[in-house]
Amino acid sequence: MDIGIGLPNTVPGTEGKALIDWAGRAEEAGFSTLGTIGRLVYSGYEELIALAAAAAVTSRIRLTTSVLLAPLYTNTALLAKQAASLDRLSAGRLVLGVALGGRDDDYAASGLSTKGRGRRLEEQLTEMKRVWSGEERGLAGAIGPEPVRSGGPELILGGSTETAFERVARLGDGWIMGGGTPDMFAEAAPGVDAAWRKAGREGTARKLSLAYFALGPGAHAQANAYLLDYYGFLGDFARQVVAGAAVSAEMVKSTVAAFEAGGCDELIFVPTGSGLDQVGLLAEAIA
């Protein structure tokens, strides 16, 4: 199982230099990917912009939106161009993870309704694939640049319903679970595989998950402060999210083992703080 690390793009107070230094250290430490969390109504950096900054100071590590709330990007052709640009500028390292999101305020702030968002996401994915295929749109030809990978960047889709799993099988390359437990992952993963087989897809879907972490002195306080704020809209359930955060090297190791046993292909540890020591502490914990 690959082990990635999230950028602290949604951690309040993270300065640009810290984000860039974090990216460089993550690549040096050997993590498989840099992930980003998507949310509009919160203090944080937009995902594609954050990953573009990371791309400029790295050369190997994958760049994964985990996940970008695609329906909020209403100009689908422009989103396709932005994704292809990041993919081309990073020499094909973009993994575009997309989902619907679970916060009404993100949609309200965008002047959008949450109704029909699943249908809109499918329309977006279909349109982006057409753009990435080089379909001509005007006198100048196609919307460029051409992605490095034929057909466009790798597409990873979120969601926990049967409909979401079917969407993965029809339109995606894989599936991501956003911050659940290893048991939740192990329970959901067979549904993804079943939908994949039913759709007649070859091989298997790549399956990813997120897990939160905080390490070193003050780990509990750091995880509590960030996660209770970020997930405050969930009420008491936010404390369950906090309880699942890995706040020691032993918890990191057990989290890795549990997700690997559940069939996870890549686990991305999402930080709850932006101190650069967190990168090294996590690397030591999984060594």
Side-chain angles (χ1 to χ4, degrees):
M1 182 176 71
D2 290 337
I3 306 294
I5 187 171
L7 277 173
N9 70 297
T10 58
V11 175
T14 300
E15 297 295 337
K17 186 178 186 306
L19 193 81
I20 290 170
D21 289 346
W22 182 291
R25 290 195 184 191
E27 178 162 90
E28 291 173 2
F31 288 104
S32 61
T33 197
L34 282 165
T36 55
I37 292 180
R39 186 169 175 181
L40 181 61
V41 185
Y42 198 72
S43 175
Y45 298 105
E46 193 276 336
E47 294 181 275
L48 295 176
I49 290 176
L51 289 177
V57 295
T58 58
S59 60
R60 176 199 58 79
I61 196 167
R62 287 195 293 265
L63 309 166
T64 302
T65 57
S66 53
V67 292
L68 180 145
L69 307 183
L72 302 184
Y73 294 72
T74 54
N75 187 331
T76 302
L78 180 57
L79 175 58
K81 186 179 184 73
Q82 289 173 315
S85 296
L86 178 52
D87 185 63
R88 175 62 64 177
L89 289 169
S90 66
R93 290 184 285 142
L94 176 64
V95 177
L96 188 63
V98 298
L100 302 176
R103 303 171 181 88
D104 291 347
D105 54 3
D106 287 339
Y107 283 83
S110 302
L112 300 171
S113 171
T114 57
K115 293 181 178 179
R117 57 185 175 168
R119 172 185 52 78
R120 295 203 304 271
L121 175 60
E122 294 195 13
E123 291 172 350
Q124 284 183 291
L125 295 173
T126 300
E127 173 69 359
M128 286 194 291
K129 287 173 176 284
R130 291 172 60 190
V131 170
W132 294 332
S133 72
E135 182 178 284
E136 293 189 5
R137 297 302 177 96
L139 294 177
I143 297 172
E146 181 182 354
V148 173
R149 191 181 82 155
S150 177
E154 181 181 0
L155 277 174
I156 303 294
L157 311 184
S160 58
T161 65
E162 184 176 345
T163 298
F165 299 158
E166 291 173 352
R167 186 180 297 130
V168 169
R170 286 186 289 107
L171 298 168
D173 300 299
W175 169 73
I176 184 167
M177 185 180 77
T181 66
D183 286 344
M184 292 168 63
F185 184 92
E187 183 178 344
V192 177
D193 291 334
W196 194 265
R197 291 191 299 269
K198 184 177 180 181
R201 298 286 298 271
E202 295 182 358
T204 58
R206 194 161 79 91
K207 294 182 283 293
L208 299 78
S209 186
L210 305 181
Y212 287 100
F213 82 98
L215 296 170
H220 282 280
Q222 176 179 295
N224 284 358
Y226 173 72
L227 292 173
L228 288 178
D229 183 53
Y230 191 82
Y231 286 106
F233 73 101
L234 292 176
D236 290 341
F237 184 74
R239 297 197 175 277
Q240 296 183 39
V241 177
V242 172
V247 293
S248 68
E250 292 73 23
M251 288 185 71
V252 168
K253 287 179 174 14
S254 65
T255 299
V256 168
F259 272 103
E260 189 167 19
C264 187
D265 295 305
E266 183 170 52
L267 180 63
I268 303 174
F269 279 98
V270 180
T272 57
S274 53
L276 293 177
D277 63 322
Q278 295 296 295
V279 179
L281 289 170
L282 181 61
E284 292 173 7
I286 64 174

